[in-house]
Amino acid sequence: MAAGKQCDSKQQWEVIKKSFFIEGNLSDISDGEDDLALVIRLVQQLGAGQLVLDLALDAIWVALRQSIVPKFWSNFVIYNSQRCGKDDDPGEGSVEVMSRVATAISELYDSAVSFLPQIHRCEMLCEHSGAKFEECIPGGMMEHFKLHLRATLHSQMPTSFTNLLHKFYSAAFKVFYHAEVGNQVEESDETTDEAMQCGGCDAATDACHCQAITNTFCQVNRQLLELDLLERLAGDIISSLLLSVITDHVSATCRDSYDQSRISQLEKWVENVVIGWLEVVYCGGRGQLSSADSAIQTMVANNLNQTYMTALYHTYTTTRIDQLFNIVIEYPESQPALEDIRECLDRTHLRNHLVESLRSAIQTRLLHPGVNTTDVLHAYISAIKALRVLDPKGVLLELVSEPVRQYLRGREDTVRYIVTSLTDESCSELSEELLVAAPLVLDDSHSDDDNMDFWETWTPDPRTADIISMLVNIYGSKDVFITEYRTILADRILSQFSYDTEREIRYLEHLKCEVMVKDVADSKRINSSINSDENPRREKQKFPVSCMILSAQFWPSFKEERLQLPEEVMKELDTYTEAFQDLKGNRTLNWKPHLGQVQVEIELKNRTLNLTVTPTQATVIYHFQERSRWSIGDLSTITQENFPCPCQGVLQEVESDVFVLVEGEELGDKGHTATVGVSQPDIAPPAIEEDEAESVMASAQDQREEELQVFWSYIVGMLTNLDSLPLERIHAMLKMFVQGSVECSPQELRAFLDRKVRQHQLIFTNGLYKLPKN
């Protein structure tokens, strides 16, 4: 009896194993519903539902792990071993690549589909026997199977499988791109055997494989989607491919082209090409998104669209940042590119990268001795304007411009070049900026009280705030700049032949130098009055005298000169002074005899010369009336000039530092022609050429040095009492004890103290300044 029961139990178990293919022979699975129902009742009677389910599922997992998945991956391993050592040609064998991938995916798909009857049996077992699979996995038995398939594929994934799959998607994208975009471009002129080459599959047009590739591609993606394997196997490859395509397209579109806006064009390109191809991948065809299920619609229309649009903005911005130095230099032609960057910066997090990249480019390409100050300043001005387009608030400008300002402070010619450019008669960029800027830009007395009612909506004028003020503030203080500015303008006014100084007056008005403007106008009026025929002193004049009458305390300092004018000239100046005193009552004149211009007529033996010369030159020529031969030493003694310079072809150096008057066109035994204004070939010029005119004004540096001397007595007193002090302590004490006088930045103070060290008036050691011992 026991033996019979044991035999029946063994037979029953064999039936159950065969029905649920527990031993792993899954090739003969069928959907025999009648037999399955009897077997399930038998399992219920035996109470073995959970055991049978576990064994049945385990048979599936073993088959996946030991047979299905290894066979699938072998297709990729074999391909890579065959390609080992060969040149990797991306366009080679696209049909073969598509076929290999399609075969591998189809085999995997068919194998997965063959498990459906077994999965159905397991579902029936769970339904009628109370057996349960892992409850933590939602979606039913089929989702449970797909999860195990993905996990098994991932666990056995070879490292080199992406090579073949990448070729597969690249070939498919190339076909799609050619169909979408390539047809809009004229076909290539290159021919092979009189047949044109297809731009999609690289085959001859009469043997095009594009449609076959597209069909195979759609089939593979459909099968992968049904198995929920598309993202697992190809998601990263698709993403990498599209990011590379976007990068290449952006680079080609934006290469050295800054004068057109590109971002709208690129957005449309992403929508048509990138998102269009994703519709083919996930929905089976272009324009099929509406027929896809809601999950795919959401992924493609929202998630992927946003992902690749973000990638476009990031790629475009990084590309433009790499070109930003050139874009800045080419402003304003490059304004469309700057507006695109501004739009993209709001959608990316690349502001820090922009600042670091542009600062590095400026440091490398601009801030070195090989670039002259002119180019550095023009680049700085362009940066001010361009970065205002990117960031009207000026934060980017402040971060980027600091190295440029620091570098310009170290160049000796920066201030003079800025000022010269601002007053350039040829209407340079800077001079135009000054003429349109607000007159109060450089006026510290300006108050914004008038604008307080609208402070919430007030924004700085970029032209005024950026161009002029930022140039002025390179040195942290307006004093140096304004002093140099006034010096050059004063020098220009005092070198005019007439009182036609309208342009200079406009500059002075912008600087709010009312006294200088008034002096120019008053001088013109006073000269007209004194030199008029109605003036009784006019008859006593041997020659007319006109002068520029300056209010000394409101004009820059002059260079100290001690020119001794001839007595005859001094008498005329005295006569002018008397006329001025008659006109102005209790005011008189203090002459600067070395300034101005003199119209002279020189009558020589065979010629008469009408020349415009400096007072020094006129004085030298005047003394040649007394004798025709003078040495430099004698001329220096009589004129009180260290080295008076004769010029204009009137004098000839016959010995070292000895000059004679050239009376005729021949110079005795020397035989040198002395023709004024004519240069004859192969003949040495008879006269010392006039040197380039020097400024009559003291330079801004000289004036600043004189102002800083105010501090010297205080510094000496500090160091006498405290022995030695660091720069910071000296500066702090000066601010405390010399308030209201000359302002001095730490940089200026350091330069001043260092000059004292070079002059041996101070000693600097271990970061401390001290007085030398007597």
Side-chain angles (χ1 to χ4, degrees), residues 420 423-425 488-496 504 507:
T420 303
T423 59
D424 188 0
E425 294 184 1
I488 290 179
L489 289 176
D491 193 46
R492 182 171 294 174
I493 291 172
L494 298 180
S495 63
Q496 293 289 331
E504 283 70 23
Y507 294 136

Side-chain angles (χ1 to χ4, degrees), residues 287-331:
Q288 299 299 313
L289 181 61
S290 59
S291 61
D293 61 50
S294 58
I296 292 179
Q297 286 183 6
T298 301
M299 180 177 64
V300 175
N302 297 331
N303 299 343
L304 292 181
N305 191 359
Q306 182 179 0
T307 298
Y308 290 107
M309 281 298 181
T310 301
L312 167 66
Y313 299 136
H314 189 279
T315 302
Y316 179 84
T317 307
T318 54
T319 300
R320 286 306 197 196
I321 286 175
D322 291 340
Q323 303 167 341
L324 191 54
F325 182 85
N326 292 336
I327 293 174
V328 166
I329 296 299
E330 293 189 17
Y331 184 86

Side-chain angles (χ1 to χ4, degrees), residues 332-370:
E333 288 77 10
S334 60
Q335 180 160 345
L338 289 166
E339 292 174 348
D340 282 350
I341 298 173
R342 180 183 62 199
E343 180 180 347
C344 291
L345 282 176
D346 294 335
R347 301 173 178 178
T348 59
H349 300 284
L350 294 172
R351 290 180 180 271
N352 290 339
H353 175 55
L354 183 148
V355 171
E356 293 173 3
S357 177
L358 185 55
R359 283 172 66 114
S360 176
I362 288 173
Q363 191 72 41
T364 303
R365 301 177 59 179
L366 191 67
L367 306 184
H368 58 82

